[in-house]
Amino acid sequence: MARRRQIYEGKAKILYEGPEPGTLIQYFKDDATAFNAQKRGTISGKGVINNRISEHIFTSLAAIGVPTHFIRRLNMREQLIRQVEIIPIEVVIRNVAAGSLSKRLGIEEGTQLPRTIIEYYYKDDALGDPMIADEHIACFGWATQEEMNDIADMAIRVNDFLSGMFAAIGIRLIDFKLEFGRVWDGDYARVILADEISPDGCRLWDIKTNQKLDKDRFRQDLGGVEEAYQEVARRLGLLQPEEESAVLDLDSHRKKRGK
Ligand code: TMP
C-alpha cells in the first residue's frame, strides 16, 4: 500500500491523511499509557477491539441524532473520520465516584453520585491535563458559550444513551471522557463528537460483581486486561467467542512479521 501522510500521532491512535479533503484515517494502536504517560505498555488486540467498540457506539449515537466525526470502519484497526478542529477540552462525565474524583474529594470509590457531574480538563500533556472551569474556557477563548452549551447537551445525551446500552449488558457506566471538534461550513462552525469511545476512556464495572472491565485494570496492574476489553466487545455482540482468540492470534502474527 502507498505510504500515507501521517498527520498526528497520539498515545493510542495515529491520524493519517484521508482519501478525500476533509477526511482522515484514524488508526488504533495497542499502546496504552496511564498517569500522563508515566506508565506505558501494550494491551494486545486493544486497537482492534477499540476500533469495533467505537464504531458501534458512534454509529448508535448518530442514529439517535448525536453528530459525530465517524464515517465508516475501513478494516480491523482503521476508520474513516471527518477532519475536525479539536476543541482542547476533555469532557468527563461521572455517574459514580471513582478515580481522580474519589482521590481529590475523599469520596469512596463506588459511591453513586446524587446527580451526574460534568467536568472539564484542558488538553495539554505538558501541563498534565489540568482541571478547568467554564470561566477558564471563556477567558482563554477555547470554546464559545454556545459551543459549551452544545457540548454539555451532547454529553448528557451520550451519557443517557450509554448508561442504558451498558446496563442492558450487565455493565455499570461509572464515568467516561469525550472530546469534541469543530467542522466549518463557510463561516459557520458546528461542534461534533470526535476521538473515540472505548474501555480506554470509560470506567465500566460489572453490575453484579463490580469487576472492572476497563483501562483501570492496566492502570492498577489488576491483570486480565486483554480479557476485560474482549468481554466488553463480546457482551456488545461485536466479538463471537471463536473470534476472541483470533483477534489475539492475528495480532501476535502481525508483531512477529514486524508490521
Ligand atoms: P479520572 O477519574 O482519572 O479523572 O478519569 C475520569 C474518566 O476519564 C475515566 O473514565 C478515564 C477517562 N480519562 C481519559 O480517557 N483520559 C485521561 O487522560 C484521563 C485522566 C481520564
Side-chain angles (χ1 to χ4, degrees):
M1 200 201 282
R3 246 184 108 68
R4 291 166 304 189
R5 198 156 73 89
Q6 185 176 308
I7 303 286
Y8 174 82
E9 176 155 15
K11 286 174 281 194
K13 295 188 292 294
I14 303 173
L15 295 177
Y16 296 98
E17 199 171 53
E20 290 153 36
T23 65
L24 294 176
I25 292 167
Q26 179 164 254
Y27 175 95
F28 288 76
K29 300 192 277 187
D30 285 349
D31 297 352
T33 62
F35 314 119
N36 205 20
Q38 288 176 56
K39 180 183 171 93
R40 289 171 182 277
T42 36
I43 302 174
S44 195
K46 171 173 85 82
V48 176
I49 289 177
N50 284 358
N51 187 20
R52 288 281 279 273
I53 293 178
S54 208
E55 171 196 21
H56 175 73
I57 293 176
F58 276 57
T59 307
S60 308
L61 287 171
I64 61 157
V66 176
T68 85
H69 73 163
F70 180 83
I71 301 173
R72 67 173 182 278
R73 186 165 63 82
L74 296 172
N75 54 49
M76 297 270 277
R77 286 183 181 271
E78 293 177 334
Q79 48 183 242
L80 185 66
I81 58 170
R82 288 188 69 174
Q83 183 162 27
V84 301
E85 184 182 295
I86 281 285
I87 294 172
I89 300 170
E90 300 203 344
V91 179
V92 170
I93 297 94
R94 300 182 187 272
N95 299 307
V96 177
S100 67
L101 177 84
S102 291
K103 201 167 157 202
R104 197 172 49 237
L105 302 178
I107 298 169
E108 196 187 344
E109 191 163 274
T111 308
Q112 182 72 45
L113 298 171
R115 48 170 285 173
T116 297
I117 294 175
I118 305 184
E119 296 172 345
Y120 304 111
Y121 294 83
Y122 182 49
K123 224 174 119 61
D124 186 319
D125 283 340
L127 298 175
D129 297 345
M131 191 173 176
I132 50 172
D134 284 295
E135 288 285 299
H136 301 101
I137 297 169
C139 178
F140 300 112
W142 293 321
T144 66
Q145 189 54 56
E146 202 184 349
E147 287 173 334
M148 290 314 294
N149 293 343
D150 289 347
I151 285 173
D153 286 349
M154 282 190 264
I156 294 297
R157 291 190 68 192
V158 173
N159 185 47
D160 287 346
F161 176 80
L162 289 186
S163 295
M165 184 193 83
F166 282 120
I169 54 168
I171 290 175
R172 197 167 164 212
L173 179 62
I174 306 298
D175 58 31
F176 62 101
K177 187 254 306 182
L178 297 177
E179 292 186 28
F180 294 87
R182 283 182 199 102
V183 284
W184 290 89
D185 188 3
D187 286 345
Y188 180 77
R190 200 161 59 87
V191 174
I192 66 176
L193 186 62
D195 192 48
E196 69 178 298
I197 301 181
S198 73
D200 267 10
C202 301
R203 285 199 175 89
L204 305 169
W205 295 3
D206 181 85
I207 281 180
K208 289 207 190 92
T209 65
N210 283 339
Q211 189 192 13
K212 293 179 173 160
L213 298 171
D214 56 59
K215 203 167 101 178
D216 269 352
R217 299 205 76 83
F218 168 78
R219 293 189 188 98
Q220 302 169 7
D221 294 317
L222 299 175
V225 187
E226 281 86 0
E227 292 77 4
Y229 280 70
Q230 282 183 42
E231 176 65 11
V232 175
R234 193 190 60 76
R235 288 197 201 181
L236 285 168
L238 304 176
L239 207 58
Q240 303 311 314
E242 61 273 19
E243 270 188 280
E244 289 174 25
S245 54
V247 168
L248 294 176
D249 286 346
L250 195 137
D251 230 67
S252 58
H253 288 315
R254 266 217 186 111
K255 287 220 182 74
K256 278 185 203 125
R257 297 206 319 265
K259 280 194 103 178

